[in-house]
Amino acid sequence: MSYKALIVEDDPVLRTKIAHYFKEEAQYEVFQADNGEKMRTILAEHRIDLILLDINLPNEDGILLTRHLRATSDIAIIMVSGRKDPIDRLLGLEMGADDYVTKPVEMRELLVRARNLLWRIQLTRDALEKAEAAWAQLEKDESKFHFLDFVFDVQKRQLFKCRELGSQLVTEEVKVTKAEYELLVAFITHPNRILGRERLLNLISHRTESPSDRTIDVLIRRLRNKMEIDARNPKIFTTVHGEGYMFAPEVF
């Protein structure tokens, strides 16, 4: 796949060097800008996949530009900076950068980081498309699922727990995050089947800088704390050691 990269750097020598390397070594289509205004013009005219963004630009701060970019798009952003202070790195990542590289830049490392980032984003997009297709089918066939004392409304993205209060049946909503909701959809559609962590990662669109098995473990723990009677002795999300997790209740 051919990607389009935009290099925003006011040093013409470094900018040309990066552009040449990405074009020759990886066949990227490369655009160049030496300030924020030119960057915005190029973004308006082309669909850019990746931005390599310098922090120190004339008249504008790269960190603020990153915040504005992230507020309006999910474009891949790697900050390239001469600032080596960990605070600057942390600030850049908090503003929405996907990665942070310090100068002097090692070209091969920069290209590898770019490839890995774009690969992770593409995997996330593919997973999201699959999940949305599955959700659309669920909503078409049946929007509500029942298990134990819970009612899961897929279409409204709501989970309810039912309990008796005197002679009345009371429902209380259990708040779930987007990632928890997606994981619950994956389990509901595969009841009583062992799902490995890697497969579960592919069924959700939860994006992290480095998604891993730990991502699934954290989400499982959060769902257990919200739904299990005793999270230390789970009856809903059971662990199958060495293989993954299984959604144990009968779903109807």
Side-chain angles (χ1 to χ4, degrees), residues 162-180:
C162 304
R163 64 183 181 88
E164 291 185 0
L165 184 61
S167 59
Q168 294 183 326
L169 186 64
V170 178
T171 59
E172 297 177 344
E173 184 175 0
V174 180
K175 296 292 186 180
V176 291
T177 65
K178 179 183 178 183
E180 292 165 358

Side-chain angles (χ1 to χ4, degrees), residues 2-12 14-24 27-35 37-54 75 110:
S2 178
Y3 291 108
K4 294 182 180 180
L6 170 57
I7 303 166
V8 187
E9 166 65 59
D10 64 337
D11 181 342
L14 178 58
R15 187 176 68 246
T16 302
K17 183 178 179 182
I18 295 174
H20 178 77
Y21 191 85
F22 271 63
K23 182 178 180 180
E24 295 300 319
Q27 288 73 55
Y28 282 47
E29 184 177 354
V30 182
F31 300 83
Q32 300 183 44
D34 59 4
N35 57 53
E37 182 178 354
K38 290 182 181 178
M39 177 196 77
R40 285 186 285 270
T41 299
I42 293 172
L43 288 174
E45 296 175 350
H46 302 275
R47 184 193 60 79
I48 301 297
D49 301 296
L50 168 71
I51 295 181
L52 302 176
L53 179 60
D54 183 22
I75 193 169
L110 184 59

Side-chain angles (χ1 to χ4, degrees), residues 39 76 79 99 121 142 217 235-236:
M39 177 196 77
M79 303 200 78
D99 204 349
I121 291 175
E142 176 59 71
D217 293 338
K235 302 298 183 183
I236 302 175

Side-chain angles (χ1 to χ4, degrees), residues 42-110:
I42 293 172
L43 288 174
E45 296 175 350
H46 302 275
R47 184 193 60 79
I48 301 297
D49 301 296
L50 168 71
I51 295 181
L52 302 176
L53 179 60
D54 183 22
I55 286 185
N56 296 316
L57 293 171
N59 302 321
E60 291 190 83
D61 188 289
I63 290 178
L64 293 180
L65 285 175
T66 298
R67 184 175 68 178
H68 294 320
L69 285 169
R70 185 56 70 230
T72 57
S73 75
D74 63 351
I75 193 169
I77 303 172
I78 298 179
M79 303 200 78
V80 182
S81 171
R83 303 180 191 174
K84 295 182 171 60
D85 193 315
I87 297 298
D88 290 316
R89 175 184 176 84
L90 181 60
L91 185 58
L93 295 174
E94 286 182 340
M95 289 298 101
D98 295 288
D99 204 349
Y100 188 103
V101 177
T102 57
K103 300 175 183 179
V105 177
E106 208 290 311
M107 292 295 154
R108 182 171 178 79
E109 177 186 352
L110 184 59

Side-chain angles (χ1 to χ4, degrees), residues 112-138:
V112 169
R113 285 177 178 268
R115 281 173 168 168
N116 288 343
L117 173 58
L118 291 168
W119 174 72
R120 290 200 304 268
I121 291 175
Q122 188 59 51
L123 280 182
T124 298
R125 288 173 178 167
D126 290 345
L128 181 58
E129 289 178 2
K130 291 178 182 178
E132 288 177 343
W135 300 338
Q137 187 62 39
L138 279 174

